[in-house]
Amino acid sequence: EKRFETSKYDSAAPKGHRGVTLLKNGQDILTEISDHQALIASLYTSQWFLPFKEDVSRWDEKMNNLAHIIINLTALQRQWIYLEPVFARNALPSEKMRFKRVDESFCTFSARIAVDPLVVSLLDIQQLRDSSYLQRLIAQLDICQRALSDFLQDKRNVFPRFFFLGDDDLLELLGQASDPEVLQAHLKKLFGGVHGVRFD
């Protein structure tokens, strides 16, 4: 009985999530499911297929559902990991409630997987049995990500030196601009030749 390998997430933001369970081997599981699907497909052409038709069809449907869930769950996890530190720093308040709704669902799934890491147990989670549920959550995070990109682009247009900073660094700077240590860490990237400054 195949189980998920998991790790614990620690947010890059001071007030972010700690200890949320993340899937580590989603791609390996998908490869195994693909092998099982190929084996099941070969059974349809067997001369002994008819007596086992219902069992084969049931396993075929189960493998298809699991593949669909894992593909979407890993995509959701990838986006959540990217956006969680942003919203933990309150860097994008206009989309805070949208992210919070997705965050609650994702953390619920993670807690359930932490308790029962069996792959087939995903099929016991009611929301995941709805084939479009995860896709709707991903669509909500897409909206958050587009809003974040627009927000960062606006800041860079106002102060072009922000183009020297990657998204993560810029978010940290904007979210903690009143912290002299954070500001000091990024000044070297913004202004060539500046090693440090003394704050009065």
Side-chain angles (χ1 to χ4, degrees), residues 137-151:
L137 294 181
I138 291 169
Q140 292 298 299
L141 288 188
D142 284 339
I143 293 171
C144 292
Q145 195 154 353
R146 284 196 297 274
L148 173 62
S149 297
D150 292 343
F151 170 76

Side-chain angles (χ1 to χ4, degrees), residues 165 169 172-174 176-200:
L165 296 180
D169 286 343
E172 182 179 34
L173 180 60
L174 294 172
Q176 301 179 62
S178 60
D179 186 335
E181 289 185 14
V182 172
L183 191 57
Q184 186 90 258
H186 296 298
L187 278 174
K188 302 174 194 177
K189 301 169 192 172
L190 292 172
F191 300 99
V194 173
H195 175 72
V197 295
R198 182 176 296 134
F199 292 94
D200 189 349

Side-chain angles (χ1 to χ4, degrees), residues 10-46:
D10 285 325
S11 178
K15 296 182 180 179
H17 283 290
R18 297 285 186 275
V20 174
T21 297
L22 300 179
L23 303 183
K24 287 175 60 178
N25 61 335
Q27 194 56 50
D28 294 338
I29 298 289
L30 283 172
T31 301
E32 286 194 40
I33 289 174
S34 180
D35 292 342
H36 291 317
Q37 288 174 314
L39 180 60
I40 290 169
S42 70
L43 295 176
Y44 283 102
T45 60
S46 170

Side-chain angles (χ1 to χ4, degrees), residues 11-186:
S11 178
K15 296 182 180 179
H17 283 290
R18 297 285 186 275
V20 174
T21 297
L22 300 179
L23 303 183
K24 287 175 60 178
N25 61 335
Q27 194 56 50
D28 294 338
I29 298 289
L30 283 172
T31 301
E32 286 194 40
I33 289 174
S34 180
D35 292 342
H36 291 317
Q37 288 174 314
L39 180 60
I40 290 169
S42 70
L43 295 176
Y44 283 102
T45 60
S46 170
Q47 59 182 324
W48 295 288
F49 169 69
L50 282 178
F52 304 101
K53 180 178 179 179
E54 289 185 12
D55 289 336
V56 172
S57 296
R58 188 167 63 250
W59 275 103
D60 193 13
E61 182 181 6
K62 186 177 284 191
M63 290 298 108
N64 286 334
N65 289 341
L66 277 174
H68 179 78
I69 290 170
I70 293 170
I71 287 169
N72 285 304
L73 193 56
T74 52
L76 180 68
Q77 175 177 283
R78 190 165 47 249
Q79 276 188 298
W80 181 87
I81 289 171
Y82 177 72
L83 291 171
E84 188 275 340
V86 174
F87 288 94
R89 293 187 185 109
N90 292 317
L92 203 62
S94 63
E95 297 296 328
K96 182 177 181 179
M97 291 310 298
R98 186 189 307 277
F99 179 80
K100 184 179 179 183
R101 288 190 293 270
V102 178
D103 177 67
E104 288 171 354
S105 295
F106 176 76
C107 290
T108 298
F109 301 148
S110 296
R112 179 75 181 268
I113 291 168
V115 171
D116 183 3
L118 280 176
V119 175
V120 293
S121 295
L122 287 180
L123 298 173
D124 296 332
I125 302 175
Q126 185 175 355
Q127 294 100 321
L128 298 184
R129 291 203 296 267
D130 176 357
S131 61
S132 64
Y133 184 77
L134 285 174
Q135 290 174 337
R136 291 197 299 272
L137 294 181
I138 291 169
Q140 292 298 299
L141 288 188
D142 284 339
I143 293 171
C144 292
Q145 195 154 353
R146 284 196 297 274
L148 173 62
S149 297
D150 292 343
F151 170 76
L152 294 179
Q153 188 62 37
D154 288 345
K155 296 299 181 184
R156 287 176 171 131
N157 289 339
V158 169
F159 188 66
R161 284 192 176 270
F162 282 154
F163 282 103
F164 292 117
L165 296 180
D167 287 355
D168 292 342
D169 286 343
L170 181 52
L171 283 167
E172 182 179 34
L173 180 60
L174 294 172
Q176 301 179 62
S178 60
D179 186 335
E181 289 185 14
V182 172
L183 191 57
Q184 186 90 258
H186 296 298

